[in-house]
Amino acid sequence: MPDSIPTMMKSISIAEPGGPAVLREIDYPVPRPGSSDVLIRVAAAGVNRPDVLQRLGKYPVPHDASPLPGLEVAGEIVAVGDAVDRWQAGDQVMALTHGGGYAEFCAVDGGHCLPIPAGLSFVEAAAIPETFFTVWYNVFTRCRLASGETFLVHGGSSGIGTTAIQLAKAHDCFVIATAGSDDKCDFCEQLGADKAFNYRSEDWQAGVLDATGGRGVDVLLDMVAGPYTQKNLECMARDGRCCIIAFLQGSKVELDLRIVLSKRLTLTGSTLRPQAVAEKARIAADLEREVLPLLESGRVRPVVHETFALESAPAAHQLMESSRHMGKIVLTMNHSAREVATHD
């Protein structure tokens, strides 16, 4: 690597499973990029629910992943592996990481990087990869959401939810969301949702069926599972596709599956991190072709609720767990204060 790159960096480690206080700022060796990797000088890193689960000891780290948390970053490439053709030092990118994002430098497979859309800051760019990869892969690739269909997302004010609402609306779908307060429901509708239901004060299942004239939705993206699962199936239209990506209310549930047969439903799901390197590269290519133009035109935008300095990662996790946020939470690096504001 170039001599200008330090051997040690500031990073956030998980000292032991537990609450936000177990996140500690430490000096950690700068990773060396493999032959297909790039090394990014991180300007900003997104905070996501899997980071919280990893901190709690409930999200096993893959054997080939960095032990440091952080699944998405934006910054400047400072070194490239021998097999990397597309990128070079000086390129500014956003990237899906295999861990290690909560740090001043992060090694990332070159195929998992994307150019930063014109007009977006590093902070906004860091809020894109994890949620956009997840939504595109599950909603559009696996569940094949198409123009004119109806779409329901639970947790509409979350990072996943804000992304899903905007992408579905950009594809001319009728969009429904659920959220945990009236303010959050208003926020979802401002983003483009045609209907939003407060699951704490409304019967969202009845609301969904009423909003669709009793037909139900064609595609549903669920992060809740547990007691929502049976209701989800009952809210589906004939030939509907329901995708589960998380289990905020539990992974075990008793179901009456007769409705799956009578409505010819598809119940599927996935998690992003364990996907093969080549599969993630294919998702990146899809995003560059189909979604970056939407971001560059402003039809779709990353929604950032709040930023924290790297050393304030515990406070960022506290906010994440409180569910008070609407949109993404992002960490910024002190060494990149100038670059966080804008990029060339």
Side-chain angles (χ1 to χ4, degrees):
M1 293 194 297
D3 293 339
S4 59
I5 299 173
T7 58
M8 301 295 289
M9 64 181 180
K10 297 294 184 184
S11 65
I12 297 296
S13 72
I14 300 173
E16 59 188 3
V22 305
L23 296 174
R24 308 280 173 78
E25 183 180 329
I26 64 168
D27 289 328
Y28 195 81
V30 172
R32 299 188 67 84
S35 62
S36 64
D37 295 338
V38 301
L39 182 66
I40 298 172
R41 185 171 184 262
V42 178
V47 177
N48 294 281
R49 287 279 178 185
D51 303 338
V52 172
L53 294 175
Q54 181 178 336
R55 192 203 73 223
L56 291 169
K58 298 179 179 180
Y59 192 92
V61 178
H63 68 89
D64 59 343
S66 168
L68 303 176
L71 298 174
E72 58 186 347
V73 300
E76 182 177 312
I77 293 175
V78 294
V80 299
D82 295 340
V84 176
D85 295 324
R86 177 175 185 181
W87 307 110
Q88 60 186 359
D91 288 341
Q92 296 172 341
V93 296
M94 54 188 181
L96 185 75
T97 79
H98 202 35
Y102 291 15
E104 293 181 314
F105 294 88
C106 185
V108 179
D109 187 279
H112 303 166
C113 296
L114 290 166
I116 297 176
L120 294 189
S121 69
F122 279 129
V123 165
E124 292 169 314
I128 290 173
E130 173 70 13
T131 53
F132 277 75
F133 272 69
T134 297
V135 170
W136 184 264
Y137 182 63
N138 288 285
V139 175
F140 293 92
T141 301
R142 294 183 61 80
C143 288
R144 308 176 309 283
L145 181 67
S147 175
E149 291 192 312
T150 56
F151 173 68
L152 168 62
V153 59
H154 292 306
S157 62
S158 67
I160 290 288
T162 57
T163 301
I165 288 170
Q166 293 184 85
L167 286 179
K169 201 62 189 175
H171 284 78
D172 299 318
C173 296
F174 185 86
V175 180
I176 305 172
T178 66
S181 72
D182 290 344
D183 285 345
K184 287 184 176 181
C185 287
D186 289 343
F187 177 70
C188 291
E189 291 180 350
Q190 290 168 15
L191 281 176
D194 297 281
K195 294 285 185 179
F197 299 104
N198 183 341
Y199 63 79
R200 299 185 191 277
S201 62
E202 299 178 86
D203 182 343
W204 63 264
Q205 180 183 2
V208 168
L209 291 172
D210 181 66
T212 59
R215 177 180 177 274
V217 299
D218 297 295
V219 173
L220 191 158
L221 183 64
D222 182 33
M223 297 169 277
V224 183
Y228 273 40
T229 310
Q230 187 69 48
K231 293 180 179 181
N232 288 341
L233 298 179
E234 292 169 358
C235 283
M236 303 301 297
R238 186 174 178 83
D239 292 321
R241 292 87 73 195
C242 177
C243 187
I244 300 172
I245 59 171
F247 309 106
L248 294 179
Q249 290 194 21
S251 60
K252 296 182 180 180
V253 63
E254 183 175 328
L255 299 174
D256 182 348
L257 293 175
R258 287 176 294 181
I259 195 169
V260 174
L261 277 64
S262 63
K263 288 189 175 183
R264 304 190 308 197
L265 302 181
T266 298
L267 180 61
T268 186
S270 75
T271 186
L272 183 61
R273 195 172 187 182
Q275 300 303 315
V277 170
E279 182 66 26
K280 294 177 186 177
R282 281 192 289 270
I283 301 171
D286 287 345
L287 289 176
E288 184 162 8
R289 182 181 65 254
E290 303 290 344
V291 176
L292 259 59
L294 297 174
L295 287 161
E296 290 175 345
S297 71
R299 289 187 66 193
V300 172
R301 61 185 177 88
V303 179
V304 177
H305 178 89
E306 190 170 349
T307 62
F308 294 82
L310 178 65
E311 61 268 22
S312 297
H317 274 226
Q318 287 175 344
L319 176 58
M320 173 69 74
E321 290 182 287
S322 76
S323 293
R324 290 185 289 105
H325 61 294
M326 291 185 276
K328 294 295 294 284
I329 300 167
V330 177
L331 300 177
T332 60
M333 309 299 151
N334 289 335
H335 76 179
S336 303
R338 175 185 61 79
E339 297 151 291
V340 166
T342 186
H343 72 94
D344 296 335

